[in-house]
Amino acid sequence: MSVFITSSGHFLPGPPISNDQMEPLLGLVHGKPSRLKRRILQSNGIKTRHYAMDANHHTTISNAGMAAKAAEHCLSSSFLGKRQIKMLSAATSQGDVVLPGFGSMLQAELGLSDIELHSSHGICSSSMMALKAAYTNLLAGEQTNALVVASELTSRLFKASRYEAAGSELDFNAEFLRWMLSDGAGAVLLETQARGRCFRVDWIRSFSHADAYPVCMSVGYRGDSSEQRSWQDYPTYAEAEAAGALLIRQDVRLLENIVKLGVDGYLRLISEGRVQPDKVDHVLCHYSSHYFRGKIFDMMQRAGVGIADHKWYSNLYDRGNTGCASIFIMLDEFRRTRQYKTGDTILCMVPESGRFNNAYMQLTVVEA
């Protein structure tokens, strides 16, 4: 039994937002321009991104709505209609509501009936978790197809009013992701039957390091995550917000580990015989910032397992860092715009900094 990605799609809300347009749209915190914005943007290399929010801080489309748009884009160029979908596997860092699960909300948005449902919750690698769940389901012969969708709507966390509600001046860890993350959704269709030129899924593997590292990226803790007090432990939600427990944070001191752990996983796959660097034709890597690109290349080269620069593809600079949706958006744009041929091997890599989970996938281009 083989599983194939036979179609893909994506959705990006609103027009592209330039670096100069970001702060006016998100709002000045306490009426003051950011002292960190330029430094962070120079490091991440992102030039434009998309927000599902207007200048009045009104949400223009829900997270489930974006996910549905990406799913519909995917199905519009597929051989299947909505009524033929057997499984829906969905991923996001946070849905529009705390409960029920994101998959349920997306199913209702799409109007799909009598399907098997899966929701994957995490950060960047949750899309690969959702994909793995669908992939193994098809391999087991439970279903013949699955629609996998990942969507992120982070801009609601970056309104100036969110930071002002927390009172004091922003610390670097609380402001960092404001200039890093943006909104978007991506989708792929899995089938047990190849259709035209498509991608066979050779394998999907991931390595989690949550047992060895503290929390690096979070929403729900006040300041340093070493203070293990959940936002739900405060007497009221207002007190949790005032304490800064609802701000999205990145512990930048820990973030440097992401390159080492990502390359370690790559080396492990080589030792297992899953990856042969000289036979990889294309690399799609969700590095969250241009800052990490050179470090990844350097570490691979020093280990003697580098992959030539021209084989790497990224849309980070034009589409932004859309979290778990990034790899699906990237794969869709690669599929539609890049040159590849039957037999080509595609290596996908998704490092996640939440508590360090690294996911990998190998695809082979096939012709039905």
Side-chain angles (χ1 to χ4, degrees):
M1 176 81 72
S2 294
V3 176
F4 306 89
I5 295 176
T6 59
S7 188
S8 60
H10 76 274
F11 175 78
L12 294 162
I17 302 298
S18 70
N19 290 349
D20 291 337
Q21 294 172 306
M22 291 180 75
E23 196 163 32
L25 191 149
L26 298 174
L28 297 175
V29 179
H30 300 299
K32 301 175 184 178
S34 169
R35 293 177 297 175
L36 299 173
K37 180 187 73 168
R38 185 176 299 277
R39 172 183 163 191
I40 296 170
L41 289 172
Q42 284 178 341
S43 178
N44 68 34
I46 299 171
K47 302 301 181 185
T48 57
R49 75 285 294 149
H50 294 255
Y51 292 132
M53 184 175 72
D54 63 23
N56 295 316
H57 292 176
H58 296 145
T59 301
T60 57
I61 183 171
S62 69
N63 199 2
M66 287 197 301
K69 292 283 189 183
E72 288 164 353
H73 185 218
C74 176
L75 292 176
S76 69
S77 58
S78 77
F79 291 83
L80 301 180
K82 281 187 184 180
R83 293 183 179 180
Q84 295 170 285
I85 299 301
K86 303 297 184 183
M87 178 182 183
L88 175 65
S89 187
T92 190
S93 297
Q94 57 170 14
D96 301 297
V97 293
V98 177
L99 295 171
F102 187 62
S104 297
M105 304 304 287
L106 177 55
Q107 177 187 352
E109 192 85 20
L110 286 168
L112 302 178
S113 300
D114 300 322
I115 59 168
E116 184 167 350
L117 185 64
H118 172 79
S119 288
S120 176
H121 176 67
I123 307 181
C124 296
S125 66
S126 61
S127 52
M128 295 293 280
M129 296 178 197
L131 185 60
K132 180 71 176 278
Y135 168 67
T136 53
N137 189 299
L138 268 60
L139 280 182
E142 291 292 309
Q143 305 293 353
T144 56
N145 67 65
L147 180 60
V148 188
V149 190
S151 185
E152 298 282 30
L153 205 171
T154 56
S155 61
R156 292 183 290 204
L157 292 170
F158 301 139
K159 300 174 185 179
S161 56
R162 302 281 188 208
Y163 297 95
E164 290 169 348
S168 61
E169 291 291 321
L170 286 181
D171 61 85
F172 187 86
N173 287 353
E175 186 177 355
F176 179 76
L177 291 170
R178 196 180 197 218
W179 314 115
M180 294 286 289
L181 299 175
S182 54
D183 306 335
V188 296
L189 179 64
L190 299 185
E191 294 189 75
T192 53
Q193 175 182 351
R195 308 272 195 179
R197 181 175 288 183
C198 58
F199 302 148
R200 185 186 69 229
V201 181
D202 297 328
W203 49 259
I204 303 172
R205 287 277 274 136
S206 64
F207 307 103
S208 174
H209 306 279
D211 62 316
Y213 289 87
V215 174
C216 180
M217 179 179 171
S218 65
V219 176
Y221 288 129
R222 175 187 175 184
D224 193 324
S225 61
S226 61
E227 181 188 340
Q228 299 288 315
R229 187 183 183 189
S230 165
W231 65 278
Q232 297 181 78
D233 293 327
Y234 288 82
T236 66
Y237 297 146
E239 290 178 68
E241 185 176 37
L246 298 183
L247 296 179
I248 184 169
R249 297 177 182 277
Q250 182 86 71
D251 189 332
V252 293
R253 297 169 302 173
L254 293 169
L255 192 54
E256 290 289 336
N257 291 297
I258 200 166
V259 175
K260 177 185 180 298
L261 293 172
V263 175
D264 281 351
Y266 168 71
L267 293 172
R268 183 170 172 178
L269 292 168
I270 293 173
S271 69
E272 291 178 358
R274 291 178 181 266
V275 173
Q276 296 177 275
D278 59 332
K279 294 185 178 180
V280 173
D281 299 295
H282 310 276
V283 181
L284 276 61
C285 179
H286 167 55
Y287 48 86
S288 60
S289 169
H290 181 75
Y291 171 80
F292 294 119
R293 180 184 170 99
K295 291 179 176 290
I296 295 169
F297 277 37
D298 180 62
M299 193 170 288
M300 284 183 168
Q301 292 292 347
R302 283 191 283 119
V305 290
I307 299 174
D309 181 78
H310 72 272
K311 295 183 177 182
W312 291 65
Y313 171 77
S314 175
N315 58 3
L316 171 72
Y317 311 102
D318 300 319
R319 302 308 193 189
N321 178 356
T322 52
C324 75
S326 292
I327 191 64
F328 289 174
I329 296 172
M330 193 187 311
L331 184 59
D332 181 52
E333 293 199 325
F334 174 87
R335 190 178 72 88
R336 295 173 186 271
T337 65
R338 306 294 283 190
Q339 295 295 317
Y340 51 86
K341 63 185 184 299
T342 302
D344 278 4
T345 297
I346 304 166
L347 179 64
C348 300
M349 301 192 289
V350 181
E352 175 187 302
S353 66
R355 203 155 183 168
F356 299 108
N357 184 45
N358 297 290
Y360 309 82
M361 173 172 65
Q362 181 175 290
L363 308 173
T364 298
V365 181
V366 298
E367 192 86 35

